[in-house]
Amino acid sequence: MQQVLQATIPNDPSPLMDITQRPETVFVRGQGSWLFDSNGKKYLDFVQGWAVNCLGHSPEPLVSAITAQAGQLINCSPAYFNQPMLDLAAALTADAGLEQVFFANSGAEANEGAIKLARKWGQLHRDGAYEIITTEHAFHGRTLATMAASGKEGWDKLYPPNLPGFPKVPFGDLDAMAAAVTENTVAIMVEPIQGEAGVVNTVDDYMLGLRALTEKHGILLILDEIQTGMGRTGKMFACQHTGITPDIMTLGKGIGGGVPLAALLAKETVCCFAHGDQGGTFNGNPLMMAAGLAVWRELSKPGFLDAAIAAGAYLSQGLQTLSAKHGLGAVRGRGLLLALDLRAPTGGTIAAAALEEGLLLNAPRPDSLRFMPALNVSHGEIDHMLEILDTAIAK
Ligand SMILES: *Cc1c(COP(=O)(O)O)cnc(C)c1O
């Protein structure tokens, strides 16, 4: 049956819900910074599953960890402990300076948990305050609550009625944030760098200011580090650039190196879930925990993040040179989460031309390109990417 189907309708995409524009390419294999399609064409991958494959495609440590764990124990219900769950919890909490963690399957689910935890804490410690101030153009996920927390234009019209309780202020504006805090506020939730909005940096003063503001009012600081965490900006977590510790932090994307894994971390004083308040069938399953542990071990090796910082500086320098040559704008971002301002709505066209030339790039906004290669990308691969990009821009 399978064979007949494949012979008569080769690669028919119609049974798939049409939720995004996809090129016709079908990818069959990945290795490091390279992807291969069903025609054998190879592509240099500077998307890496949206900043997910932090060690590149099918890295040996991840493949062996998953393979070994699959032969040992794949799943035993979240109602029981398993060894990699305990090990990963110990590793992440120690690194983050936060006492407890809840493992989830996606970033949105981790943020959803953060919202629940803050609201529960508000019931217990702040007279039932439940509002969480978020920022314009923020991206926190695609569940109903995380969409309400997000500040993406048009999203408030998509699936009404919307979940209330997420007043919004401009990103990076500390005064606006301070003015928005009321007795109904339980938390402030931001991304250290707005990735989906086009890699919009905060200055360190903003982060320090948010920490001081939340402390002054006795409310929670929630950092969504789903894109910026796990070494993406050159530190294990972006908040470490300023030395602040949030009350709640969420991780996703890079944490599993490509498998569905996310985490909600919090200070012990904030962890107020009672039994039954939070859970999930696949949460903390040994297979994903083993993957997360393998990724964490690689990122924690001496010199790994230093090399990522060096690669980020090299990429940033190359992009600036290219920008000067073609009369484009600034390079934004930190570490290996970078964007190039194109000063014109040419991002989609350039990304399409790059794909033709064998390079995967993402245009988060029409006027910018985003670069999120593997954290172990080589200087040679960066040079190669810059050459293809040069050609694509010239086209
Ligand atoms: C990707 C992302 C999310 C959502 O993660 P999913 O795994 O897609 O649910 C949330 N916040 C930020 C900052 C992200 O980059």
Side-chain angles (χ1 to χ4, degrees), residues 50 105-111 139-143 146 191 193-196 224-228 250 252-253 261-262 370:
W50 255 252
N105 311 297
S106 73
E109 189 193 3
N111 280 341
F139 181 78
H140 296 301
R142 292 174 174 279
T143 60
T146 55
E191 302 153 80
I193 294 175
Q194 284 191 333
E196 298 308 300
D224 177 346
E225 291 239 22
I226 289 166
Q227 190 155 152
T228 54
T250 51
K253 294 206 161 77
L261 177 61
R370 181 167 40 170

mmCIF file of all heavy atoms in Angstrom, residues 50 105-111 139-143 146 191 193-196 224-228 250 252-253 261-262 370, ligand 1:
data_model
loop_
_atom_site.group_PDB
_atom_site.id
_atom_site.type_symbol
_atom_site.label_atom_id
_atom_site.label_comp_id
_atom_site.label_asym_id
_atom_site.label_seq_id
_atom_site.Cartn_x
_atom_site.Cartn_y
_atom_site.Cartn_z
ATOM 1 N N TRP A 50 15.451 26.804 13.563
ATOM 2 C CA TRP A 50 15.106 28.020 14.340
ATOM 3 C C TRP A 50 15.899 28.087 15.639
ATOM 4 O O TRP A 50 15.326 28.083 16.727
ATOM 5 C CB TRP A 50 13.595 28.069 14.639
ATOM 6 C CG TRP A 50 12.872 29.052 13.789
ATOM 7 C CD1 TRP A 50 12.357 30.248 14.189
ATOM 8 C CD2 TRP A 50 12.584 28.940 12.400
ATOM 9 N NE1 TRP A 50 11.796 30.885 13.113
ATOM 10 C CE2 TRP A 50 11.916 30.109 12.008
ATOM 11 C CE3 TRP A 50 12.865 27.983 11.425
ATOM 12 C CZ2 TRP A 50 11.513 30.338 10.701
ATOM 13 C CZ3 TRP A 50 12.463 28.196 10.128
ATOM 14 C CH2 TRP A 50 11.788 29.356 9.785
ATOM 15 N N ASN A 105 7.471 20.131 26.933
ATOM 16 C CA ASN A 105 7.741 19.603 25.595
ATOM 17 C C ASN A 105 7.912 20.682 24.541
ATOM 18 O O ASN A 105 8.310 20.404 23.419
ATOM 19 C CB ASN A 105 6.607 18.676 25.161
ATOM 20 C CG ASN A 105 6.268 17.671 26.225
ATOM 21 O OD1 ASN A 105 7.096 16.850 26.569
ATOM 22 N ND2 ASN A 105 5.069 17.752 26.767
ATOM 23 N N SER A 106 7.538 21.902 24.863
ATOM 24 C CA SER A 106 7.692 23.000 23.913
ATOM 25 C C SER A 106 7.853 24.293 24.697
ATOM 26 O O SER A 106 7.487 24.372 25.880
ATOM 27 C CB SER A 106 6.471 23.110 22.998
ATOM 28 O OG SER A 106 5.368 23.628 23.721
ATOM 29 N N GLY A 107 8.377 25.303 24.018
ATOM 30 C CA GLY A 107 8.557 26.598 24.654
ATOM 31 C C GLY A 107 7.239 27.175 25.128
ATOM 32 O O GLY A 107 7.134 27.710 26.241
ATOM 33 N N ALA A 108 6.225 27.060 24.277
ATOM 34 C CA ALA A 108 4.920 27.607 24.644
ATOM 35 C C ALA A 108 4.409 26.957 25.927
ATOM 36 O O ALA A 108 3.863 27.629 26.808
ATOM 37 C CB ALA A 108 3.928 27.386 23.505
ATOM 38 N N GLU A 109 4.624 25.650 26.049
ATOM 39 C CA GLU A 109 4.151 24.949 27.241
ATOM 40 C C GLU A 109 4.920 25.398 28.484
ATOM 41 O O GLU A 109 4.338 25.530 29.573
ATOM 42 C CB GLU A 109 4.292 23.430 27.039
ATOM 43 C CG GLU A 109 3.621 22.617 28.129
ATOM 44 C CD GLU A 109 4.025 21.146 28.099
ATOM 45 O OE1 GLU A 109 4.871 20.760 27.270
ATOM 46 O OE2 GLU A 109 3.495 20.389 28.924
ATOM 47 N N ALA A 110 6.223 25.663 28.321
ATOM 48 C CA ALA A 110 7.016 26.156 29.449
ATOM 49 C C ALA A 110 6.518 27.547 29.859
ATOM 50 O O ALA A 110 6.360 27.832 31.054
ATOM 51 C CB ALA A 110 8.499 26.209 29.078
ATOM 52 N N ASN A 111 6.251 28.411 28.876
ATOM 53 C CA ASN A 111 5.745 29.753 29.195
ATOM 54 C C ASN A 111 4.351 29.690 29.806
ATOM 55 O O ASN A 111 4.015 30.458 30.710
ATOM 56 C CB ASN A 111 5.715 30.620 27.933
ATOM 57 C CG ASN A 111 7.087 31.188 27.607
ATOM 58 O OD1 ASN A 111 7.959 31.240 28.462
ATOM 59 N ND2 ASN A 111 7.263 31.615 26.370
ATOM 60 N N PHE A 139 7.319 37.618 21.468
ATOM 61 C CA PHE A 139 6.833 36.303 21.040
ATOM 62 C C PHE A 139 7.030 35.313 22.187
ATOM 63 O O PHE A 139 8.150 35.071 22.621
ATOM 64 C CB PHE A 139 7.574 35.802 19.794
ATOM 65 C CG PHE A 139 7.068 34.468 19.324
ATOM 66 C CD1 PHE A 139 5.879 34.374 18.616
ATOM 67 C CD2 PHE A 139 7.742 33.294 19.631
ATOM 68 C CE1 PHE A 139 5.385 33.138 18.207
ATOM 69 C CE2 PHE A 139 7.256 32.054 19.223
ATOM 70 C CZ PHE A 139 6.075 31.984 18.510
ATOM 71 N N HIS A 140 5.918 34.754 22.663
ATOM 72 C CA HIS A 140 6.009 33.812 23.780
ATOM 73 C C HIS A 140 5.390 32.452 23.459
ATOM 74 O O HIS A 140 5.345 31.585 24.325
ATOM 75 C CB HIS A 140 5.355 34.410 25.025
ATOM 76 C CG HIS A 140 6.059 35.632 25.533
ATOM 77 N ND1 HIS A 140 7.387 35.633 25.919
ATOM 78 C CD2 HIS A 140 5.640 36.921 25.699
ATOM 79 C CE1 HIS A 140 7.749 36.851 26.310
ATOM 80 N NE2 HIS A 140 6.717 37.647 26.183
ATOM 81 N N GLY A 141 4.881 32.263 22.237
ATOM 82 C CA GLY A 141 4.358 30.953 21.877
ATOM 83 C C GLY A 141 2.983 31.025 21.248
ATOM 84 O O GLY A 141 2.434 32.116 21.055
ATOM 85 N N ARG A 142 2.419 29.843 20.956
ATOM 86 C CA ARG A 142 1.193 29.782 20.170
ATOM 87 C C ARG A 142 0.017 29.094 20.858
ATOM 88 O O ARG A 142 -0.959 28.724 20.211
ATOM 89 C CB ARG A 142 1.489 29.071 18.835
ATOM 90 C CG ARG A 142 2.378 29.876 17.925
ATOM 91 C CD ARG A 142 2.768 29.102 16.682
ATOM 92 N NE ARG A 142 3.514 29.940 15.759
ATOM 93 C CZ ARG A 142 2.953 30.809 14.915
ATOM 94 N NH1 ARG A 142 1.649 30.925 14.852
ATOM 95 N NH2 ARG A 142 3.703 31.557 14.121
ATOM 96 N N THR A 143 0.116 28.878 22.160
ATOM 97 C CA THR A 143 -1.095 28.450 22.866
ATOM 98 C C THR A 143 -1.939 29.703 23.100
ATOM 99 O O THR A 143 -1.463 30.830 22.899
ATOM 100 C CB THR A 143 -0.740 27.833 24.239
ATOM 101 O OG1 THR A 143 -0.053 28.819 25.013
ATOM 102 C CG2 THR A 143 0.137 26.599 24.084
ATOM 103 N N THR A 146 -0.227 32.004 25.725
ATOM 104 C CA THR A 146 1.044 32.597 25.289
ATOM 105 C C THR A 146 0.845 33.521 24.084
ATOM 106 O O THR A 146 1.615 34.453 23.887
ATOM 107 C CB THR A 146 2.116 31.522 24.990
ATOM 108 O OG1 THR A 146 1.600 30.590 24.032
ATOM 109 C CG2 THR A 146 2.506 30.777 26.248
ATOM 110 N N GLU A 191 11.572 38.920 26.834
ATOM 111 C CA GLU A 191 12.698 38.198 26.243
ATOM 112 C C GLU A 191 13.926 39.109 26.365
ATOM 113 O O GLU A 191 13.817 40.298 26.099
ATOM 114 C CB GLU A 191 12.457 37.948 24.748
ATOM 115 C CG GLU A 191 11.206 37.184 24.407
ATOM 116 C CD GLU A 191 10.706 37.543 22.990
ATOM 117 O OE1 GLU A 191 11.245 37.007 22.025
ATOM 118 O OE2 GLU A 191 9.777 38.363 22.873
ATOM 119 N N ILE A 193 16.393 39.260 24.353
ATOM 120 C CA ILE A 193 16.470 39.788 22.991
ATOM 121 C C ILE A 193 15.208 39.308 22.285
ATOM 122 O O ILE A 193 14.887 38.119 22.352
ATOM 123 C CB ILE A 193 17.709 39.245 22.229
ATOM 124 C CG1 ILE A 193 19.008 39.760 22.869
ATOM 125 C CG2 ILE A 193 17.653 39.626 20.752
ATOM 126 C CD1 ILE A 193 20.272 39.160 22.248
ATOM 127 N N GLN A 194 14.481 40.220 21.634
ATOM 128 C CA GLN A 194 13.267 39.792 20.925
ATOM 129 C C GLN A 194 13.663 39.141 19.597
ATOM 130 O O GLN A 194 13.896 39.833 18.602
ATOM 131 C CB GLN A 194 12.342 40.987 20.682
ATOM 132 C CG GLN A 194 11.597 41.430 21.931
ATOM 133 C CD GLN A 194 10.492 42.435 21.622
ATOM 134 O OE1 GLN A 194 10.563 43.166 20.640
ATOM 135 N NE2 GLN A 194 9.464 42.472 22.459
ATOM 136 N N GLY A 195 13.728 37.815 19.606
ATOM 137 C CA GLY A 195 14.186 37.074 18.422
ATOM 138 C C GLY A 195 13.223 37.137 17.249
ATOM 139 O O GLY A 195 13.585 37.546 16.148
ATOM 140 N N GLU A 196 11.977 36.749 17.483
ATOM 141 C CA GLU A 196 11.004 36.678 16.382
ATOM 142 C C GLU A 196 10.679 38.062 15.841
ATOM 143 O O GLU A 196 10.291 38.218 14.691
ATOM 144 C CB GLU A 196 9.718 35.982 16.837
ATOM 145 C CG GLU A 196 9.900 34.540 17.285
ATOM 146 C CD GLU A 196 10.624 33.694 16.264
ATOM 147 O OE1 GLU A 196 10.130 33.555 15.144
ATOM 148 O OE2 GLU A 196 11.717 33.174 16.580
ATOM 149 N N ASP A 224 11.853 35.031 29.383
ATOM 150 C CA ASP A 224 11.666 34.011 28.345
ATOM 151 C C ASP A 224 12.993 33.887 27.610
ATOM 152 O O ASP A 224 13.317 34.681 26.741
ATOM 153 C CB ASP A 224 10.531 34.449 27.405
ATOM 154 C CG ASP A 224 10.324 33.478 26.249
ATOM 155 O OD1 ASP A 224 11.198 32.623 26.024
ATOM 156 O OD2 ASP A 224 9.289 33.598 25.561
ATOM 157 N N GLU A 225 13.779 32.884 28.003
ATOM 158 C CA GLU A 225 15.095 32.652 27.385
ATOM 159 C C GLU A 225 15.028 31.464 26.428
ATOM 160 O O GLU A 225 16.020 30.757 26.214
ATOM 161 C CB GLU A 225 16.153 32.419 28.481
ATOM 162 C CG GLU A 225 16.466 33.660 29.295
ATOM 163 C CD GLU A 225 17.952 34.062 29.209
ATOM 164 O OE1 GLU A 225 18.628 33.675 28.244
ATOM 165 O OE2 GLU A 225 18.394 34.779 30.129
ATOM 166 N N ILE A 226 13.856 31.247 25.866
ATOM 167 C CA ILE A 226 13.681 30.100 24.981
ATOM 168 C C ILE A 226 14.585 30.195 23.748
ATOM 169 O O ILE A 226 15.153 29.206 23.304
ATOM 170 C CB ILE A 226 12.194 29.958 24.611
ATOM 171 C CG1 ILE A 226 11.422 29.479 25.840
ATOM 172 C CG2 ILE A 226 11.983 29.022 23.425
ATOM 173 C CD1 ILE A 226 9.920 29.593 25.741
ATOM 174 N N GLN A 227 14.750 31.424 23.246
ATOM 175 C CA GLN A 227 15.641 31.602 22.097
ATOM 176 C C GLN A 227 17.055 32.015 22.523
ATOM 177 O O GLN A 227 18.041 31.623 21.906
ATOM 178 C CB GLN A 227 15.055 32.652 21.142
ATOM 179 C CG GLN A 227 15.771 32.726 19.819
ATOM 180 C CD GLN A 227 14.915 33.263 18.672
ATOM 181 O OE1 GLN A 227 15.439 33.844 17.745
ATOM 182 N NE2 GLN A 227 13.624 33.061 18.709
ATOM 183 N N THR A 228 17.154 32.816 23.590
ATOM 184 C CA THR A 228 18.460 33.365 23.974
ATOM 185 C C THR A 228 19.259 32.441 24.887
ATOM 186 O O THR A 228 20.469 32.619 25.026
ATOM 187 C CB THR A 228 18.276 34.704 24.723
ATOM 188 O OG1 THR A 228 17.376 34.497 25.824
ATOM 189 C CG2 THR A 228 17.713 35.774 23.811
ATOM 190 N N THR A 250 12.305 30.609 31.428
ATOM 191 C CA THR A 250 11.912 29.489 30.581
ATOM 192 C C THR A 250 12.978 29.237 29.523
ATOM 193 O O THR A 250 13.609 30.160 29.022
ATOM 194 C CB THR A 250 10.561 29.743 29.896
ATOM 195 O OG1 THR A 250 10.584 31.017 29.240
ATOM 196 C CG2 THR A 250 9.427 29.700 30.899
ATOM 197 N N GLY A 252 13.925 26.603 25.992
ATOM 198 C CA GLY A 252 13.359 25.723 24.961
ATOM 199 C C GLY A 252 14.375 25.617 23.840
ATOM 200 O O GLY A 252 15.577 25.634 24.088
ATOM 201 N N LYS A 253 13.908 25.518 22.637
ATOM 202 C CA LYS A 253 14.760 25.497 21.437
ATOM 203 C C LYS A 253 16.063 24.704 21.648
ATOM 204 O O LYS A 253 16.045 23.496 21.640
ATOM 205 C CB LYS A 253 15.011 26.926 20.958
ATOM 206 C CG LYS A 253 13.714 27.588 20.465
ATOM 207 C CD LYS A 253 13.930 28.686 19.452
ATOM 208 C CE LYS A 253 12.658 28.981 18.683
ATOM 209 N NZ LYS A 253 11.659 29.772 19.406
ATOM 210 N N LEU A 261 11.984 19.574 23.743
ATOM 211 C CA LEU A 261 12.270 19.692 25.166
ATOM 212 C C LEU A 261 12.256 21.167 25.551
ATOM 213 O O LEU A 261 12.712 22.010 24.770
ATOM 214 C CB LEU A 261 13.650 19.073 25.484
ATOM 215 C CG LEU A 261 14.133 19.176 26.934
ATOM 216 C CD1 LEU A 261 13.190 18.480 27.892
ATOM 217 C CD2 LEU A 261 15.544 18.592 27.064
ATOM 218 N N ALA A 262 11.720 21.472 26.700
ATOM 219 C CA ALA A 262 11.696 22.838 27.221
ATOM 220 C C ALA A 262 11.702 22.748 28.740
ATOM 221 O O ALA A 262 11.540 21.657 29.304
ATOM 222 C CB ALA A 262 10.455 23.580 26.736
ATOM 223 N N ARG A 370 17.942 36.806 9.571
ATOM 224 C CA ARG A 370 18.413 36.327 10.874
ATOM 225 C C ARG A 370 19.395 35.175 10.672
ATOM 226 O O ARG A 370 19.197 34.318 9.812
ATOM 227 C CB ARG A 370 17.228 35.873 11.729
ATOM 228 C CG ARG A 370 17.633 35.388 13.105
ATOM 229 C CD ARG A 370 16.449 35.238 14.048
ATOM 230 N NE ARG A 370 15.261 34.682 13.417
ATOM 231 C CZ ARG A 370 14.184 34.298 14.078
ATOM 232 N NH1 ARG A 370 14.158 34.389 15.386
ATOM 233 N NH2 ARG A 370 13.138 33.818 13.450
HETATM 234 C C1 LIG B 1 10.291 29.789 19.894
HETATM 235 C C2 LIG B 1 9.921 30.648 21.042
HETATM 236 C C3 LIG B 1 8.818 30.350 21.862
HETATM 237 C C4 LIG B 1 7.887 29.191 21.587
HETATM 238 O O1 LIG B 1 8.519 27.962 21.627
HETATM 239 P P1 LIG B 1 7.803 26.691 20.970
HETATM 240 O O2 LIG B 1 8.712 25.552 21.268
HETATM 241 O O3 LIG B 1 7.680 26.983 19.505
HETATM 242 O O4 LIG B 1 6.462 26.556 21.597
HETATM 243 C C5 LIG B 1 8.567 31.162 22.942
HETATM 244 N N1 LIG B 1 9.351 32.220 23.212
HETATM 245 C C6 LIG B 1 10.417 32.543 22.447
HETATM 246 C C7 LIG B 1 11.264 33.714 22.822
HETATM 247 C C8 LIG B 1 10.743 31.781 21.324
HETATM 248 O O5 LIG B 1 11.764 32.113 20.550
#
